[in-house]
């Protein structure tokens, strides 16, 4: 038997009432289109959530990952959801399932991987949209990393905030939602730390996150669009990006490419180094994530206020 599932993941496992039988090949009807691959490679995809992450197609489920610099990607079978194609009652579930490379990627960015499965479980497949799965990535040079796949996390900013924002009636400070925040994404997966990025760009054709952490490569981290609100967002798990520079690569409806600083950035680099925003090291809206090397001197004021 596999390892016992405990903690927060046990509660998730109890909600995931389905299993996925591994298929050797991706059915033709489920294969990613050449157009979608080219849009990802050009950093101009208008909404990657329709391609990446969990895609449900009739009785099939396709997991698809775009990981810059990856040579191989596998999905971790932490919840023992995956079953071999030739199921044997005596056979243990695989610990991880390799995703297959999409061979019609451009040679300069062969970063798209996918795998198809046959779904068995409840007729209502909406639970799949709450499945935040982990992947194991092998990069060129032999380095490996395990992380929650960003595009499996679903919507990030609360719908209630975005609705109020759209009507100019929100009581939540916009700077606590937009911009970059190092935080625990406890609403999606308790214990999952990383950096959330969000920007309002309603007229953009596509938006990508660029920065020191991805060598300013606009192909690396395409952002998801909350289409009703014109907000683009992404969460990068695991990485501690505090202090690193970042910006948004925006493609206009006329396909003009622009690098824009974050209008809600909380910190910027020194003026002598330019005007780039950086992921805040001291975040008024997430004080628990501060490095802790700042000495506060406002105790007297706090006692008198």
């Amino acid at each position: 038997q596999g390892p016992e599932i405990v903690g927060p993941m046990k509660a998730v496992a109890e909600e995931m009432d389905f299993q996925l039988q591994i298929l050797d090949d991706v059915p033709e009807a489920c294969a990613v289109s050449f157009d979608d691959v080219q849009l990802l490679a050009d950093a101009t995809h208008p909404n990657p959530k329709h391609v990446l992450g969990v895609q449900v197609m009739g009785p099939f489920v396709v997991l698809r990952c775009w990981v810059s610099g990856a040579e191989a990607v596998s999905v971790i079978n932490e919840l023992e959801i995956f079953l071999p194609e030739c199921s044997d009652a005596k056979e243990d579930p695989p610990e991880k399932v390799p995703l297959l490379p999409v061979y019609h990627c451009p040679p300069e960015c062969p970063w798209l991987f996918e795998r198809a499965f046959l779904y068995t479980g409840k007729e209502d497949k909406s639970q799949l949209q709450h499945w935040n799965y982990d992947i194991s990535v092998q990069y060129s040079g032999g380095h490996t990393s395990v992380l929650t796949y960003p595009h499996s996390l679903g919507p990030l900013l609360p719908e209630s905030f975005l609705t109020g924002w759209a009507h100019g009636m929100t009581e939540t400070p916009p700077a606590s939602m937009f911009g970059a925040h190092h935080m625990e994404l406890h609403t999606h997966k308790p214990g999952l730390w990383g950096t959330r990025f969000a920007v309002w760009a309603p007229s953009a054709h596509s938006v990508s996150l660029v920065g020191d952490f991805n060598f300013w490569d606009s192909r690396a981290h395409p952002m998801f669009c909350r289409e009703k609100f014109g907000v683009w967002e992404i969460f990068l798990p695991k990485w501690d990006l505090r202090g690193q520079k970042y910006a948004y690569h925006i493609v206009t409806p006329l396909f003009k490419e622009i690098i824009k600083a974050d209008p809600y950035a909380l910190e910027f680099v020194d003026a002598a180094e330019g005007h780039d925003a950086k992921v805040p090291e001291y975040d008024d809206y997430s004080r628990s994530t501060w490095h802790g090397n700042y000495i506060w001197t406002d105790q007297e004021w706090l006692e008198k206020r």
Side-chain angles (χ1 to χ4, degrees):
Q1 292 185 343
E4 181 183 2
I5 302 171
V6 296
M9 295 308 299
K10 183 174 182 180
V12 175
E14 291 171 352
E15 295 177 5
M16 299 289 109
D17 187 16
F18 65 89
Q19 288 188 307
L20 299 175
Q21 188 173 351
I22 303 168
L23 301 181
D24 282 341
D25 300 303
V26 177
E28 186 176 349
C30 301
V32 62
S33 72
F34 282 82
D35 288 344
D36 280 321
V37 172
Q38 194 60 53
L39 287 169
L40 288 170
D42 292 340
T44 57
H45 205 294
N47 208 340
K49 76 177 181 181
H50 298 311
V51 181
L52 303 177
V54 179
Q55 303 296 320
V56 180
M57 305 174 186
F60 301 109
V61 173
V62 177
L63 299 188
R64 200 172 286 130
C65 298
W66 174 263
V67 185
S68 64
E71 288 191 344
V73 177
S74 298
V75 60
I76 307 296
N77 195 14
E78 189 172 12
L79 304 181
E80 298 187 358
I81 286 172
F82 302 113
L83 299 174
E85 185 170 21
C86 298
S87 183
D88 184 341
K90 298 180 181 179
E91 186 177 354
D92 289 338
E95 292 184 3
K96 57 184 180 180
V97 178
L99 303 186
L100 306 175
V102 175
Y103 289 109
H104 52 276
C105 282
E108 65 273 14
C109 53
W111 303 334
L112 188 60
F113 301 82
E114 64 181 1
R115 194 70 187 249
F117 306 86
L118 185 63
Y119 175 91
T120 58
K122 293 181 178 178
E123 185 175 349
D124 179 12
K125 300 185 180 72
S126 60
Q127 59 186 318
L128 286 163
Q129 305 307 317
H130 305 287
W131 177 28
N132 312 137
Y133 59 86
D134 292 345
I135 58 174
S136 174
V137 182
Q138 180 179 329
Y139 296 95
S140 56
H143 171 68
T144 60
S145 179
V146 175
L147 68 154
T148 301
Y149 185 55
H151 294 148
S152 74
L153 292 170
L156 299 176
L157 299 190
E159 185 91 4
S160 57
F161 164 76
L162 291 176
T163 301
W165 161 261
H167 292 86
M169 298 173 60
T170 181
E171 296 181 0
T172 303
S176 69
M177 293 291 173
F178 295 119
H181 298 280
H182 182 72
M183 59 187 294
E184 178 190 5
L185 200 65
H186 58 85
T187 54
H188 291 64
K189 195 172 187 178
L192 179 63
W193 283 84
T195 307
R196 186 189 69 196
F197 298 85
V199 63
W200 184 59
S203 299
H205 171 79
S206 65
V207 179
S208 298
L209 176 67
V210 293
D212 294 341
F213 42 86
N214 63 14
F215 306 103
W216 296 83
D217 188 338
S218 58
R219 303 168 300 180
H221 293 113
M223 300 179 74
F224 280 3
C225 182
R226 303 288 291 276
E227 293 167 291
K228 188 164 62 172
F229 305 105
V231 170
W232 302 76
E233 57 186 12
I234 192 171
F235 184 86
L236 298 189
K238 192 172 182 179
W239 295 352
D240 187 346
L241 305 179
R242 287 173 288 184
Q244 297 198 41
K245 294 184 293 183
Y246 76 97
Y248 300 112
H249 172 268
I250 295 178
V251 178
T252 72
L254 297 177
F255 287 88
K256 180 180 179 181
E257 299 182 37
I258 305 170
I259 301 294
K260 280 282 192 180
D262 191 340
Y264 278 101
L266 298 179
E267 292 184 16
F268 290 82
V269 299
D270 292 338
E273 301 178 29
H275 302 283
D276 292 312
K278 65 178 183 177
V279 178
E281 297 179 78
Y282 307 103
D283 188 340
D284 283 338
Y285 301 102
S286 186
R287 291 196 175 195
S288 63
T289 71
W290 290 8
H291 286 310
N293 58 357
Y294 184 83
I295 300 174
W296 290 96
T297 59
D298 60 351
Q299 186 60 39
E300 183 179 350
W301 178 83
L302 287 173
E303 292 173 355
K304 293 180 178 179
R305 66 174 178 173

